[in-house]
Amino acid sequence: LRVGNSYSYGAEFMIKKQAGKFTGWLSYTYSRVFREIPEINDGNPYPANYDKPNDISLILSYDIIDNLNISLSWFYSTGAPRTMPTGRFEYEGMISPVYSDRNSVRLPEYHRMDFACTYDFKKTKRNGEAKKFNSSLNLSIYNLYNRHNAYSITFRQVEGQQYDTEAVKTYLFKLFPSLTYNFNF
């Protein structure tokens, strides 16, 4: 086990509208988290794996009619810090990577937009009493503009070129539509 210190600081801001047909909020978070461990990174402070300086969320919702709602959500955050290879060297016929300082490089920034349209089936009977069974139908599109957000970046040798390395980005979800029927009783 390595023992050291960790410190964090930040601020959060939010603007929210809750009344009327058009509702939503905008939030911004500035957050920093650092670690300082004598045996790591020559004792110099470095960003923790979950250090995320900027995080923005925008949520908008509009009631077209009483039981039909559309919403749009947009999310942005600074890419996660990582330790990446910056070069390679050969020693006794073996090629080994040379790495950057601890968590000195960041993955690309993350952002996406989601869309949803929800239809709530009538919630009351004709005589004004509440129904015992309520349901809704939801059409959602995750990652509306099909951004390939980096989940991770790995490195591999370029085929047929012993001294060249290429970065390979792995991403999890492209544009992803879904249709959901919800009910409760």
Side-chain angles (χ1 to χ4, degrees):
L1 296 176
R2 307 256 190 242
V3 178
N5 296 312
S6 183
Y7 58 95
S8 64
Y9 57 91
E12 291 185 85
F13 304 94
M14 178 184 246
I15 298 171
K16 193 172 193 178
K17 182 181 181 303
Q18 294 178 290
K21 288 181 155 267
F22 182 75
T23 59
W25 72 81
L26 172 65
S27 67
Y28 172 74
T29 303
Y30 177 76
S31 172
R32 299 305 313 259
V33 182
F34 292 94
R35 291 194 171 148
E36 192 172 347
I37 300 171
E39 299 87 2
I40 298 176
N41 206 41
D42 294 325
N44 296 317
Y46 61 90
N49 290 343
Y50 40 87
D51 177 62
K52 194 173 2 173
N54 298 293
D55 196 340
I56 302 170
S57 297
L58 174 64
I59 312 297
L60 303 172
S61 179
Y62 183 71
D63 293 329
I64 296 173
I65 55 177
D66 284 345
N67 56 345
L68 182 61
N69 174 276
I70 59 171
S71 63
L72 200 60
S73 307
W74 183 74
F75 307 96
Y76 169 89
S77 66
T78 305
R82 294 291 183 258
T83 304
M84 303 274 190
T86 57
R88 298 167 65 153
F89 70 92
E90 183 178 351
Y91 180 72
E92 294 184 2
M94 231 171 109
I95 297 175
S96 298
V98 175
Y99 288 97
S100 66
D101 287 343
R102 177 63 67 103
N103 287 350
S104 64
V105 180
R106 290 192 177 270
L107 293 177
E109 60 194 11
Y110 176 97
H111 58 87
R112 74 169 205 272
M113 183 178 286
D114 301 338
F115 170 80
C117 180
T118 304
Y119 181 81
D120 284 323
F121 294 95
K122 295 289 182 190
K123 295 181 178 179
T124 57
K125 294 181 180 178
R126 290 185 190 191
N127 61 6
E129 294 177 26
K131 289 171 75 175
K132 292 182 181 180
F133 179 84
N134 294 311
S135 62
S136 64
L137 186 62
N138 176 273
L139 169 65
S140 298
I141 302 173
Y142 176 89
N143 197 9
L144 188 63
Y145 51 84
N146 199 28
R147 177 159 166 89
H148 297 175
N149 288 300
Y151 176 73
S152 70
I153 294 180
T154 56
F155 295 85
R156 67 179 177 209
Q157 181 179 325
V158 175
E159 191 174 322
Q161 297 179 10
Q162 179 179 352
Y163 297 102
D164 292 335
T165 303
E166 65 183 348
V168 179
K169 178 170 74 171
T170 301
Y171 54 91
L172 296 180
F173 299 106
K174 295 182 183 181
L175 180 136
F176 188 82
S178 67
L179 186 63
T180 307
Y181 179 71
N182 297 299
F183 63 92
N184 57 44
F185 51 92

